[in-house]
């Protein structure tokens, strides 16, 4: 008799636990449904490029919409990105480019900006976030560029500012100041690391904004093309996007959408806004993340894959795409569009092909002959590189040659006007 009573008690307990679980799931689903009903209304606030971008601005009044960060940043992020020598208006909306530079990254950042100015045909607007002691260096160098190029871009230099209550924690995450890119006080913007070089016009990657569907808030490229050498799928101790994760060194973002979107997550039963999601994610995964804010982005887009537009690897070509053999097929076909020299390869001899491209752009005078002063010396230099990346040397110059040709044609057209 006791045995039957015990079995009955266990069965009753199991039924009770099951009913409790079902009730909890029902409540959670109702809460999610309620938030998702409100989400379309918030996402409808911005379905594309901000209307404010129709004048020559580098910022917007919308930065006051994100609290509490914007309370401390609105006074140091001016609305207009202009200088005395910049035009008051441009034929098209300016392309917005953001970069975060700390430590010894002044020269590297200037070479990146130089590559953007060199090949682009649209007016550019630079948002440079850097430590205070670098501000004068940026202004002095940018103002010294030839007037023909100086008139094609505007810029603003901002201090590094994090949410005040967690500023120290954000600043120490991964590389110094890198997580500033999570808190950019702009609308739509292309963020790039300082070790990025543009080998085709900047506006071409900017055009991906027009390809965003109603749910997409950002565009990034995969961390790896080949899973057998992938980092995230082999070593990550946290969720990540897709099969091999994504790399945040080149990141096109509609920040207005990001601020208004409700993101699914593993922290709460309800969807959370960007500002409410970042710090709890950092606290939960702090001991498990290796690549700082890039890992946080991977976690977010793991749970919200519909919010990300995936770009091909030629828009973020790194040493990983060639050091073990070529594994970026799109670059083999069309050439590299954006070169990302992570791992410090621009400043050592481990990957000569990457350093050769960096040195070629760094040493090229902006008012020089791009064929004889840039492309031909680079092609000659690459011939002596017999590493795996060097064997793929054509990927480094295929699209660059077209960009140089376009630049030469532009110089020819401008000569009569100059005379």
């Amino acid at each position: 008799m006791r045995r039957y009573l015990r079995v009955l008690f266990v069965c009753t307990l199991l039924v009770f636990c099951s009913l409790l679980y079902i009730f909890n799931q029902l409540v959670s689903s109702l809460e999610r449904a309620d938030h998702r009903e409100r989400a379309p209304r918030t996402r409808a606030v911005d379905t594309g490029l901000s209307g404010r971008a129709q004048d020559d601005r580098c910022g917007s009044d919308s930065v006051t919409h994100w609290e509490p960060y914007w309370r401390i940043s609105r006074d140091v992020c001016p609305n207009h990105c202009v200088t005395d020598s910049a035009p008051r208006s441009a034929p098209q909306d300016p392309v917005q480019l953001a970069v975060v530079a700390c430590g010894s990254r002044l020269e590297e950042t200037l070479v990146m900006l130089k590559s953007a100015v060199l090949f682009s045909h649209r007016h550019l607007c630079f948002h440079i976030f850097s430590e205070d002691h670098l501000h004068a260096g940026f202004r002095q160098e940018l103002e010294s560029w030839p007037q023909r190029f100086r008139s094609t871009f505007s810029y603003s230099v901002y201090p590094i500012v994090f949410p005040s209550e967690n500023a120290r924690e954000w600043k120490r995450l991964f590389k110094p100041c890198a997580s500033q890119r999570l808190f950019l006080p702009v609308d739509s913007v292309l963020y790039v690391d300082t070790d990025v070089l543009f080998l085709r016009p900047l506006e071409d990657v900017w055009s991906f904004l027009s390809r965003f569907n109603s749910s997409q808030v950002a565009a990034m490229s995969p961390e790896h093309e080949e899973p057998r050498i992938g980092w995230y799928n082999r070593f990550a101790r946290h969720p990540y996007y897709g099969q091999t994760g994504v790399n945040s060194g080149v990141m096109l973002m509609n920040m207005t959408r990001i601020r208004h979107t409700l993101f699914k997550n593993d922290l709460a039963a309800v969807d959370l806004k960007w500002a409410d999601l970042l710090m709890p994610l950092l606290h939960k995964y702090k001991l498990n993340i290796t690549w700082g804010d890039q890992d946080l982005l991977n976690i977010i887009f793991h749970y919200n894959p519909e919010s990300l537009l995936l770009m091909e690897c030629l828009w973020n070509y790194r040493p990983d795409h060639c050091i073990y053999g070529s594994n970026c097929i799109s670059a083999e076909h069309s050439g590299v569009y954006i070169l990302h020299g992570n791992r410090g390869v621009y400043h050592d001899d481990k990957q000569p092909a990457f350093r050769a491209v960096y040195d070629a752009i760094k040493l090229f005078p902006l008012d020089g002959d791009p064929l004889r002063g840039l492309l031909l010396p680079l092609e000659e230099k690459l011939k002596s590189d017999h590493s795996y990346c060097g064997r793929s040397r054509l990927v480094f110059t295929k699209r660059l040659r077209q960009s140089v040709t376009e630049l030469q044609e532009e110089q020819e057209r401008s000569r009569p006007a100059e005379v």
Side-chain angles (χ1 to χ4, degrees), residues 133-414:
H133 70 276
L134 298 178
H135 290 193
F138 278 115
R139 293 192 181 97
Q140 182 177 352
E141 183 66 22
L142 292 174
E143 294 294 341
S144 71
W145 288 0
Q147 177 60 28
R148 184 167 66 87
F149 290 95
R150 180 64 192 88
S151 64
T152 64
F153 70 93
S154 310
Y155 71 91
S156 280
V157 183
Y158 309 97
I160 300 295
V161 182
F162 294 108
S164 57
E165 63 272 21
N166 307 110
R168 181 176 297 182
E169 199 164 2
W170 284 117
K171 187 169 185 177
R172 292 186 303 179
L173 180 64
F174 192 46
K175 295 180 181 179
C177 309
S179 55
Q180 176 75 68
R181 58 185 161 186
L182 299 175
F183 308 101
L184 297 177
V186 290
D187 290 332
S188 293
V189 67
L190 174 66
Y191 165 85
V192 296
D193 285 348
T194 60
D195 52 8
V196 158
L197 294 171
F198 296 97
L199 304 187
R200 71 174 296 168
L202 183 59
E203 56 266 26
D204 293 340
V205 64
W206 182 255
S207 69
F208 275 87
L209 281 171
S210 64
R211 307 184 196 182
F212 282 15
N213 62 29
S214 59
S215 66
Q216 289 168 337
V217 303
M220 300 165 68
S221 297
E223 175 71 13
H224 289 282
E225 300 297 310
E226 174 52 64
R228 287 177 295 179
I229 61 172
W231 192 91
Y232 281 107
N233 56 291
R234 292 189 299 159
F235 305 116
R237 295 180 294 166
H238 58 77
Y240 54 89
Y241 176 89
Q243 188 178 11
T244 60
V246 285
N247 183 276
S248 59
V250 178
M251 184 164 51
L252 187 62
M253 299 182 289
N254 187 322
M255 292 302 299
T256 305
R257 282 192 183 183
I258 286 176
R259 288 190 282 267
H260 287 90
T261 296
L262 292 170
F263 293 95
K264 297 185 290 292
N265 59 88
D266 61 349
L267 300 170
V270 297
D271 299 347
L272 297 174
K273 282 192 173 183
W274 187 261
D276 302 322
L277 183 59
L278 293 175
M279 184 51 63
L281 273 182
L282 178 58
H283 285 160
K284 178 173 181 177
Y285 291 104
K286 188 173 183 178
L287 299 179
N288 293 326
I289 60 177
T290 302
W291 308 113
D293 50 305
Q294 176 174 290
D295 290 346
L296 296 182
L297 290 165
N298 267 280
I299 295 168
I300 291 172
F301 289 118
H302 169 84
Y303 292 104
N304 301 270
E306 72 284 353
S307 297
L308 185 67
L309 175 66
L310 203 62
M311 300 189 295
E312 293 180 289
C313 50
L314 47 64
W315 294 103
N316 188 352
Y317 189 90
R318 292 167 289 113
D320 303 81
H321 292 119
C322 56
I323 55 177
Y324 305 113
S326 181
N327 58 64
C328 179
I329 297 175
S330 58
E332 292 177 16
H333 181 265
S334 303
V336 174
Y337 293 171
I338 297 179
L339 191 70
H340 185 181
N342 63 338
R343 303 185 182 182
V345 294
Y346 292 153
H347 311 293
D348 58 34
D349 297 320
K350 294 180 180 178
Q351 299 300 330
F354 282 80
R355 181 165 184 171
V357 178
Y358 177 81
D359 287 343
I361 295 176
K362 173 187 170 183
L363 298 174
F364 173 70
L366 277 171
D367 52 359
D369 182 336
L371 178 63
R372 294 179 176 83
L374 174 60
L375 182 64
L376 295 182
L378 173 60
E379 289 180 332
E380 191 64 29
K381 182 71 173 178
L382 290 172
K383 290 179 182 178
S384 61
D385 181 7
H386 302 293
S387 65
Y388 276 120
C389 290
R391 295 174 192 173
S392 303
R393 61 180 178 271
L394 290 180
V395 305
F396 295 92
T397 58
K398 184 177 290 187
R399 185 53 179 88
L400 180 61
R401 173 170 283 275
Q402 184 178 340
S403 296
V404 165
T405 300
E406 293 170 357
L407 179 58
Q408 279 190 309
E409 293 173 351
E410 184 179 334
Q411 288 179 341
E412 290 293 331
R413 289 192 299 268
S414 65

Side-chain angles (χ1 to χ4, degrees), residues 66-84:
W66 191 0
E67 302 288 356
Y69 172 67
W70 305 125
R71 283 203 300 269
I72 60 174
S73 67
R74 60 187 299 183
D75 295 331
V76 296
C77 296
N79 285 340
H80 294 272
C81 178
V82 297
T83 66
D84 294 338

